[in-house]
């Protein structure tokens, strides 16, 4: 009995496709797991997160996860040159210093 090369290719693509899906879901799981720990399993009334200026994608990902658990961003500070008391526009993502976002449960 010989193996059909076409069938073998379909099986390999299916396996690779499944692995790719699992790998892409893994980073979302890590964000959810970290935030669950930081919010004491989604019971903390306030959570404060600090992001580096270039972490716009992480900020957006975490905001989406927090929103699904009833948290809303109520204050954003920072984004200046990193010196205390400076501020930039953290919402636009063109900030140069760290950004601190406070989320509150609705």
């Amino acid at each position: 009995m010989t193996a059909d090369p076409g069938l073998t290719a379909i099986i390999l693509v299916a396996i690779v496709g499944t692995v790719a899906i699992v790998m892409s879901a893994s980073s979302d799981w890590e964000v959810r797991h970290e935030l669950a720990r930081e919010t004491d399993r989604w019971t903390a009334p306030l959570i404060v997160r600090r992001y580096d200026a270039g972490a716009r994608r992480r900020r957006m990902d975490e905001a989406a996860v927090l929103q699904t658990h009833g948290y809303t961003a109520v204050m954003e500070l920072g984004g200046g040159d990193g010196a205390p008391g400076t501020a930039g526009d953290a919402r636009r993502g063109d900030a140069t210093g760290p950004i601190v976002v406070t989320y509150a449960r609705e």
Side-chain angles (χ1 to χ4, degrees):
M1 180 179 229
T2 60
D4 180 8
L7 181 60
T8 305
I10 291 171
I11 292 170
L12 289 175
V13 169
I15 291 172
V16 170
T18 304
V19 171
I21 291 169
V22 170
M23 288 175 61
S24 67
S26 175
S27 63
D28 183 48
W29 180 86
E30 289 173 7
V31 169
R32 288 181 184 279
H33 181 72
E34 178 186 344
L35 290 175
R37 188 179 64 242
E38 293 293 323
T39 58
D40 194 21
R41 299 286 179 219
W42 311 110
T43 60
L46 288 175
I47 179 171
V48 177
R49 301 291 289 166
R50 182 186 181 276
Y51 305 99
D52 292 332
R56 186 179 189 318
R57 176 70 181 174
R58 179 155 178 99
R59 247 181 36 225
M60 291 172 48
D61 289 348
E62 288 190 359
V65 170
L66 287 164
Q67 185 176 11
T68 64
H69 289 277
Y71 289 87
T72 304
V74 293
M75 183 170 47
E76 293 184 13
L77 298 173
D81 60 7
T86 61
D89 194 344
R91 291 178 303 271
R92 284 198 342 230
D94 60 355
T96 58
I99 298 163
V100 178
V101 181
T102 303
Y103 298 91
R105 268 186 87 77
E106 297 175 338

